[in-house]
């Protein structure tokens, strides 16, 4: 029942004709624009159909998260926990139920699908590398945030197989680097990066970048309702922090825990200047991909097994 809101009307007015898909503007997101335009023409800009696509994409992302979790943790229980944390986390609501949130859903879906192709087996094949590259191109054309794949892909590859997958692994990284360069060159013809976005971050931005994800993931509900009850919010956050974070000091599963933390920050790095999430969870869509990293962190803390501990002590290049 949620109607079009805010930016939705900007896209509707821009995408009344196919020419709007590639029209110059502040951003370059032609795949998202094409999906928005196509669905608008087919469904007469009925928001219900946009919501249906949003729910389907979110569930698809969650299934891909489950598959990736199984490869990272080698454990069905941990993977299922990561899946549930990603699927039902309250912080996912804005990206899923707001029509303009389709941008987040599209780039994350294609990014995860590319990782699915890349990590499906230890021995890389050219079809897998090609399919993954196509998916990553789609992710980049959905939203600029997908440039974080330059960090995400090597991190996940290393966590699952290590850097010992042969010459095709290096070729896959070369393809990705070339893909991003071509994308940036193409993007220059349609949108420019504001000079202030490349400025060195000040202390406030750095604090926001490092604290915001953990503050919100530790208490992922509308915190605006607790403004008159600040002491309750403080007690809840401190309690969750005391329960969750001391296990980081354990030796067990530190590698996987570090991967989860790295994925949290990789997902928000391209938007570090805009990372201001309100107490009522407005702008929480920026943490959509980062929920994968948070799920991995919690799964490592809750489901650490002796087998996983032993595996962590084995050389990464030969453990599988």
């Amino acid at each position: 029942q949620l109607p079009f809101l805010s930016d939705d009307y900007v896209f509707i007015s821009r995408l009344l004709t196919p020419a709007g898909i590639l029209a110059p503007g502040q951003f370059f997101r032609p795949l998202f624009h094409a999906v928005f335009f196509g669905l608008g023409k087919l469904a007469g800009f009925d928001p219900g159909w946009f919501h249906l696509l949003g729910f389907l994409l979110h569930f698809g992302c969650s299934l891909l998260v489950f598959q990736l979790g199984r490869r990272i943790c080698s454990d069905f229980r941990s993977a299922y926990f990561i899946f549930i944390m990603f699927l039902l986390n309250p912080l996912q609501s804005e990206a899923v139920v707001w029509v303009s949130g389709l941008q987040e859903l599209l780039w994350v879906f294609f990014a995860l699908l590319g990782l699915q192709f890349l990590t499906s087996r230890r021995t890389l094949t050219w079809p897998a590398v090609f399919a993954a590259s196509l998916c990553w191109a789609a992710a980049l054309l959905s939203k600029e945030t997908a440039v974080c794949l330059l960090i995400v892909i090597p991190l996940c590859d290393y966590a699952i197989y290590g850097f010992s997958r042969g010459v095709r692994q290096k070729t896959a990284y070369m393809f990705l680097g070339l893909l991003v360069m071509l994308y940036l060159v193409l993007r220059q013809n349609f949108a420019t990066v504001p000079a202030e976005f490349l400025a060195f971050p000040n202390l406030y931005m750095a604090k926001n970048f490092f604290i915001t994800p953990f503050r919100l993931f530790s208490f992922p509900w509308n915190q605006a309702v607790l403004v008159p009850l600040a002491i309750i919010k403080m007690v809840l956050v401190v309690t969750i922090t005391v329960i969750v974070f001391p296990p980081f000091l354990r030796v067990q599963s530190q590698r996987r825990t570090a991967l989860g933390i790295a994925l949290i920050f990789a997902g928000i790095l391209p938007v570090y200047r805009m990372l201001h999430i309100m107490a009522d969870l407005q702008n929480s869509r920026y943490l959509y991909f980062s929920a994968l990293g948070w799920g991995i962190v919690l799964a490592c803390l809750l489901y650490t097994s002796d087998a996983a501990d032993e595996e962590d002590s084995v050389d990464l290049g030969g453990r599988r």
Side-chain angles (χ1 to χ4, degrees):
Q1 299 298 318
L2 190 69
F4 290 118
L5 301 167
S6 185
D7 290 353
D8 300 343
Y9 291 105
V10 176
F11 293 122
I12 291 174
S13 62
R14 171 178 177 159
L15 298 169
L16 292 175
T17 64
I21 295 174
L22 291 175
Q26 186 178 1
F27 304 108
F28 178 60
R29 300 167 183 174
L31 183 57
F32 163 68
H33 292 159
V35 170
F36 199 103
F37 170 78
L39 194 56
K41 288 300 181 183
L42 289 173
F45 288 103
D46 178 357
W49 290 99
F50 287 85
H51 294 319
L52 177 60
L53 177 60
F55 284 122
L56 290 175
L57 282 171
H58 178 54
F59 190 68
C61 288
S62 302
L63 292 176
L64 293 170
V65 162
F66 172 75
Q67 290 294 334
L68 191 62
R70 288 200 71 175
R71 289 174 188 152
I72 291 173
C73 297
S74 303
D75 174 33
F76 178 88
R77 182 176 55 176
S78 297
Y80 186 71
F81 178 82
I82 296 169
F83 164 76
I84 292 298
M85 286 296 297
F86 188 91
L87 179 71
L88 301 179
N89 195 311
L91 292 178
Q92 308 294 61
S93 299
E94 185 179 68
V96 177
V97 302
W98 184 32
V99 169
S100 292
L102 284 173
Q103 302 166 86
E104 300 293 334
L105 301 173
L106 282 169
W107 88 257
V108 173
F109 176 80
F110 285 116
L112 293 172
L113 186 60
L115 282 169
Q116 172 77 9
F117 285 120
L118 186 73
T119 61
S120 58
R121 60 184 66 181
R122 168 178 277 281
T123 303
L124 275 173
T125 63
W126 291 121
V129 173
F130 181 70
S133 299
L134 286 179
C135 291
W136 297 332
L140 287 166
L141 295 176
S142 298
K143 191 174 183 183
E144 297 86 348
T145 313
V147 296
C148 72
L149 286 170
L150 286 171
I151 302 173
V152 169
I153 291 168
L155 284 173
C156 292
D157 205 12
Y158 175 72
I160 299 171
Y161 297 117
F163 295 133
S164 59
R165 304 179 69 190
V167 66
R168 292 192 183 110
Q169 186 177 33
K170 297 177 182 178
T171 305
Y173 295 159
M174 289 175 59
F175 276 1
L176 175 62
L178 180 62
L179 192 65
V180 171
M181 285 192 291
L182 289 174
Y183 164 76
L184 292 175
V185 170
L186 178 64
R187 187 184 184 279
Q188 281 294 107
N189 296 315
F190 297 92
T192 58
V193 179
E196 64 270 14
F197 191 82
L198 300 176
F200 193 79
N202 57 33
L203 185 61
Y204 174 77
M205 284 188 292
K207 183 199 74 170
N208 253 10
F209 180 77
F210 287 106
I211 293 177
T212 297
F214 291 108
R215 175 175 59 85
L216 287 163
F217 280 125
S218 296
F219 190 73
W221 298 281
N222 185 346
Q223 299 182 16
V225 299
L226 291 179
V227 170
L229 305 169
I231 186 65
I232 294 179
K233 176 181 173 182
M234 183 184 74
V235 170
L236 286 172
V237 172
V238 169
T239 301
I240 294 172
T241 302
V242 168
I243 293 173
V244 170
F245 287 95
F248 283 166
L249 303 177
R250 299 182 308 183
V251 174
Q252 297 94 333
S253 295
Q254 275 191 354
R255 175 176 51 80
R256 293 190 186 92
T257 305
L259 169 67
I261 295 173
L263 290 179
I264 290 173
F265 289 124
I268 59 175
L269 186 59
V271 293
Y272 74 98
R273 289 190 69 91
M274 298 175 284
L275 189 67
H276 181 67
I277 301 174
M278 310 293 286
D280 62 359
L281 302 189
Q282 184 178 339
N283 297 329
S284 60
R285 65 189 182 278
Y286 293 139
L287 294 174
Y288 183 76
F289 177 82
S290 297
L292 165 62
W294 180 248
I296 293 172
V297 169
L298 291 187
C300 289
L301 299 180
L302 295 174
Y303 297 117
T304 300
S305 65
D306 294 336
D309 299 342
E310 182 179 349
E311 183 181 344
D312 278 340
S313 66
V314 177
D315 178 69
L316 287 171
R319 75 172 195 275
R320 282 193 180 89

